[in-house]
Amino acid sequence: MSAPMTSRNIPGPRPRARGASTRLHWWAPALPALAFGLLLMLLAGSGQAHAATGEASAILQVTERILRVVG
């Protein structure tokens, strides 16, 4: 004859909540901020537009402006 067994509830680790992770990668807020800054610089500099006279290209000017702002 076997003795009856009682079950005990042993507390274990809590189950994790299902759903999206709330942790953002570093580039998630950086990319939109960079794009906004570049577009803002392009709009702010459009008042100084002039005909091509053999000066530096627009990409070079934007790059120089970014380096001045960052550095």
Side-chain angles (χ1 to χ4, degrees):
M1 177 158 138
S2 61
M5 302 240 352
T6 60
S7 62
R8 293 189 309 171
N9 289 337
I10 300 173
R14 293 183 181 177
R16 293 185 180 189
R18 304 270 177 176
S21 175
T22 58
R23 184 175 176 172
L24 291 176
H25 293 285
W26 66 268
W27 48 264
L31 288 179
L34 180 65
F36 177 77
L38 287 174
L39 289 174
L40 189 62
M41 280 191 338
L42 288 173
L43 287 174
S46 65
Q48 302 169 356
H50 57 290
T53 59
E55 292 182 15
S57 69
I59 294 174
L60 184 59
Q61 290 177 356
V62 169
T63 304
E64 288 173 350
R65 194 175 289 176
I66 291 171
L67 290 176
R68 265 189 262 132
V69 168
V70 173

